[in-house]
Amino acid sequence: MTVHSSADRTPGGDKRERILGAADRIFARHGFFAAKVSDVAKEAGVADGTIYLYFKSKDDLLIALFERRMQELTQALQGAIAGKTPREQLRAFIKMYLQKVHDEPAAAEVLTIELRQSSKFMKEYENPAFADFLRMLGGIIAAAQAANQFTSSIPAHVAARMIFGVLDELTLAWVLAKSPFGGGSAGARPKKFDIVRAADWVVALVTNGLQPKEKST
């Protein structure tokens, strides 16, 4: 009996999660193109062929990883905004998003850099999880506009994409500024800014820009 055959007797759901967790680490460590399915299998403690019982290809594995992360992020964001006014919800949304980036840098690297290297994700995947994310953000902005807390001159769905663009670029800059995963001397590429503190800067930029103009008397 091999180590892999022993590990393969774990429940299917648990094994799938182990594979996704392993893929998260491998894609961040080696990059999506350089990573091999066999690397993921070894990291997860399963036989190479076991991966294909759950995922059709490396691209499908990456997309499943994205969907899991987006589901976790959406749940965290829903908890963060619950019971708050629309303006407070936007602040909580931004702060929670960047806090998750800080707390899970490997996942942030995969979702910000490696995901875009999948042609299947970029060209074929309809991306319903991201659509739900944008709808949540757009709903917060629309509610603030209805309460006259934000200007209505910018469509809520457009404002949501603009805000995500800011968050995504900050995440990219922060991820690239950190020393690479799996090697390199400590502090070789120190992060250039505090990603958690940056949430306050984004909130200030966004809320000031969406501030409704005072009516002239």
Side-chain angles (χ1 to χ4, degrees), residues 86-108:
R87 192 181 184 95
E88 291 172 339
Q89 285 182 340
L90 182 60
R91 176 183 294 275
F93 187 101
I94 292 171
K95 291 180 75 69
M96 173 58 72
Y97 185 95
L98 294 182
Q99 183 68 56
K100 294 286 285 185
V101 169
H102 174 270
D103 294 345
E104 301 178 30

Side-chain angles (χ1 to χ4, degrees), residues 58-68 115 118 120-121 125:
K58 188 170 70 169
D59 287 273
D60 284 333
L61 176 55
L62 182 63
I63 289 172
L65 181 60
F66 165 78
E67 289 177 338
R68 186 184 74 164
L115 195 64
S118 167
K120 181 172 183 177
F121 179 84
Y125 182 56

Side-chain angles (χ1 to χ4, degrees), residues 4-5 21 51 60 91 97 142 166 180 190 194 203:
H4 289 329
S5 64
I51 302 291
D60 284 333
R91 176 183 294 275
Y97 185 95
V166 172
D194 185 339
V203 169

Side-chain angles (χ1 to χ4, degrees), residues 200-213:
D200 292 327
W201 305 335
V202 176
V203 169
L205 177 67
V206 170
T207 55
N208 290 340
L210 289 174
Q211 191 74 26
K213 294 181 178 180

Side-chain angles (χ1 to χ4, degrees), residues 134-167:
L134 286 179
R135 273 193 291 271
M136 185 192 310
L137 182 53
I140 292 172
I141 296 169
Q145 289 173 333
N148 200 34
Q149 296 176 343
F150 291 158
T151 178
S152 297
S153 61
I154 304 174
H157 71 281
V158 174
R161 284 193 172 273
M162 293 166 69
I163 293 170
F164 173 73
V166 172
L167 297 175

